[in-house]
Amino acid sequence: MWAFALLTNFPTGAPRFYIAALYIPLLILYIYRIKKRYLSLNKILIFGLLFVFPFLDQARSVNSLSELKFGFDFKMFTQGHFDSYQMFMQVVNENIITYGNQLLTSFFFFVPRTIWTNKSVGSGMLIANQSNFYFNNVSMNFFGEGYINFGYLGIILFLIIISYLNARLDLIYWSDSENSANNILYLLSLGLLFFVLRGDLLSGFAFTFGLFISAILVFRIIRV
């Protein structure tokens, strides 16, 4: 399984959120003590954020193996990696509310823009364009998505929904059989949740939905 994963989804050749969604489940499935030792998964995630992700990020810019650097990287705390929080404050400060239009865009991401001519862009890009940013490939975290759709009420609604879904998936995982499709979705969601919370919702929902459908199809084919 590990060899197949490395051949088809090598860590330096795929987005970091995708690597997290794929390899976190493999770690949990094949390293049994992760489930048994207190906060083992938490420690692995911290290690991933400070070592693995910065290392993988180098694949975007290095030209040779000699340029690769190994070690813990704390630069993310002094660079613009937390732009989603700034974007959240931007949408609140500008009081931009679309009354569900961004949510509809996320739910119907698969509809081509040639058919849906006034289909919106992602929330981060929408705010960047309206604020005349010179760079518009920015995120919008889950709180900001709630606000841009329904204001302060949207933040509350979004928190209730994601809390319920997480609790529900967690309950199903620990009470369901090991060979259940629900368990596959649960394990995949552990890595994808970071992407969804960071945003924007359009990208997070589209990739999450795509991976879920792919996983279920493979599961059904194997079980036939």
Side-chain angles (χ1 to χ4, degrees):
M1 178 63 74
W2 283 98
F4 182 77
L6 288 172
L7 286 173
T8 57
N9 298 279
F10 199 75
T12 57
R16 289 173 296 175
F17 80 88
Y18 184 82
I19 295 302
L22 177 66
Y23 283 92
I24 288 176
L26 291 177
L27 287 171
I28 294 174
L29 290 173
Y30 287 93
I31 303 179
Y32 184 72
R33 63 176 177 270
I34 290 179
K35 289 186 178 181
K36 297 300 180 181
R37 288 189 178 182
Y38 180 65
L39 296 180
S40 291
L41 183 59
N42 303 58
K43 297 172 184 176
I44 290 174
L45 293 177
I46 293 173
F47 176 78
L49 290 172
L50 296 179
F51 181 85
V52 178
F53 274 21
F55 174 76
L56 295 178
D57 191 52
Q58 297 179 74
R60 300 178 177 183
S61 57
V62 298
N63 296 313
S64 65
L65 293 176
S66 60
E67 298 180 36
L68 290 176
K69 298 179 181 179
F70 297 88
F72 289 96
D73 190 341
F74 298 93
K75 292 180 180 178
M76 70 172 184
F77 296 110
T78 59
Q79 296 177 345
H81 294 290
F82 298 97
D83 60 292
S84 68
Y85 300 100
Q86 300 172 15
M87 293 302 296
F88 172 46
M89 297 308 300
Q90 179 73 10
V91 72
V92 173
N93 184 60
E94 299 294 331
N95 194 31
I96 299 174
I97 303 175
T98 63
Y99 300 101
N101 185 58
Q102 292 305 110
L103 189 60
L104 286 175
T105 300
S106 300
F107 281 162
F108 296 101
F109 66 89
F110 50 85
V111 179
R113 297 185 186 276
T114 54
I115 298 175
W116 186 357
T117 55
N118 62 341
K119 181 180 179 181
S120 180
V121 294
S123 298
M125 183 176 292
L126 178 69
I127 300 304
N129 291 339
Q130 291 192 16
S131 302
N132 296 318
F133 290 1
Y134 71 90
F135 181 74
N136 61 12
N137 185 21
V138 291
S139 61
M140 176 63 67
N141 66 33
F142 200 72
F143 300 102
E145 291 287 355
Y147 189 91
I148 200 173
N149 277 287
F150 306 110
Y152 289 109
L153 177 62
I155 297 177
I156 298 173
L157 290 175
F158 272 46
L159 284 174
I160 292 174
I161 291 171
I162 199 168
S163 298
Y164 173 79
L165 291 176
N166 285 338
R168 188 66 181 167
L169 284 173
D170 194 67
L171 179 63
I172 292 173
Y173 177 77
W174 292 106
S175 61
D176 209 347
S177 64
E178 293 185 359
N179 295 322
S180 170
N182 293 323
N183 290 346
I184 297 175
L185 300 184
Y186 174 83
L187 292 171
L188 283 174
S189 68
L190 294 176
L192 290 169
L193 185 61
F194 288 95
F195 188 24
V196 173
L197 291 176
R198 181 185 182 273
D200 57 23
L201 190 61
L202 175 59
S203 299
F205 186 81
F207 281 106
T208 298
F209 185 84
L211 284 175
F212 278 8
I213 294 298
S214 300
I216 293 299
L217 287 176
V218 173
F219 178 80
R220 298 301 182 191
I221 293 172
I222 293 175
R223 291 295 296 272
V224 171

